Amino acid sequence: GDEWWYETSPKPPASRDGASAAMASAVSDEGVVAAAPTPPAAAGTAAAGTAAAGAVQRRWTPSDDAALRHQVELLGHKWREVSSQLPGTSASSCKNRLTLLQRAEKKAAAGEPSRQQNVPWTVAEENLLARAVEPYLTAASIDYSTIRSSYFAYRTKVEVMAKWQNMCAMQKRRLTGQKRRR
């Protein structure tokens, strides 16, 4: 189904537990649970195209991308006008999203691999990472940027570093018999 952008709804108060924060924002001072947030104003109204400070945002969908491109074709790079036609967006979010899309197209045209998010690591990749990190084990630090560019161009440096740290923690737990912390 269609998802609304709740940029006009304030974020719930910060809390260690996301569920309790969401409930806290839905409960009034009298302890009454508030109704679900209403969708943002329709396109073309004064409230549309402006994002409240600290607003809750959602991911762009392919249909949002198509609508953004269409508005840019019609209006050019007049970001406030473009965002006013796309409910729940701001001028800067539209500009940033178009820039991101154009960079991705440029990389694809150049034949660079596109980065896929949340792709599970294979056993072969884990073994390759272990071999790639091996020369750095006696050094003061591991050069994750070099390892990433040499072996894992489709992953980020942070993904490579996090995977190595996770592999080390798993090995430590295996050797000490400890259970995973929660």
Side-chain angles (χ1 to χ4, degrees):
D2 290 351
E3 297 178 44
W4 287 98
W5 293 14
Y6 294 107
E7 284 196 328
T8 55
S9 303
K11 283 187 179 176
S15 160
R16 299 183 108 189
D17 176 27
S20 62
M23 276 305 292
S25 68
V27 177
S28 68
D29 292 335
E30 294 82 32
V32 178
V33 177
T38 56
T45 65
T50 58
V56 178
Q57 301 174 0
R58 70 168 179 84
R59 293 181 185 265
W60 287 80
T61 64
S63 62
D64 298 331
D65 292 341
L68 173 63
R69 289 176 189 277
H70 177 72
Q71 291 302 322
V72 170
E73 276 182 29
L74 294 175
L75 303 170
H77 290 187
K78 298 175 184 171
W79 299 115
R80 284 190 181 153
E81 291 179 32
V82 169
S83 68
S84 72
Q85 300 302 311
L86 302 170
T89 64
S90 66
S92 61
S93 68
C94 291
K95 180 181 178 182
N96 292 340
R97 181 61 180 179
L98 186 65
T99 301
L100 184 93
L101 292 171
Q102 290 171 338
R103 283 183 188 158
E105 288 172 352
K106 191 175 181 181
K107 281 185 171 185
E112 293 181 32
S114 65
R115 190 178 98 62
Q116 299 174 356
Q117 292 183 340
N118 300 323
V119 176
W121 286 72
T122 64
V123 174
E125 286 179 311
E126 290 176 353
N127 293 335
L128 179 61
L129 178 58
R131 286 192 305 273
V133 168
E134 196 172 334
Y136 296 99
L137 295 179
T138 58
S141 64
I142 298 171
D143 187 358
Y144 292 106
S145 294
T146 301
I147 292 170
R148 180 221 162 264
S149 62
S150 299
Y151 301 101
F152 304 102
Y154 50 91
R155 296 197 183 270
T156 65
K157 173 185 148 187
V158 172
E159 284 178 306
V160 172
M161 180 177 64
K163 182 60 180 178
W164 177 248
Q165 290 171 347
N166 180 276
M167 288 170 59
C168 290
M170 285 175 37
Q171 181 67 18
K172 181 179 177 183
R173 284 193 303 271
R174 271 190 224 116
L175 293 174
T176 61
Q178 294 177 344
K179 296 204 186 257
R180 184 175 182 188
R181 290 188 301 164
R182 295 243 177 216

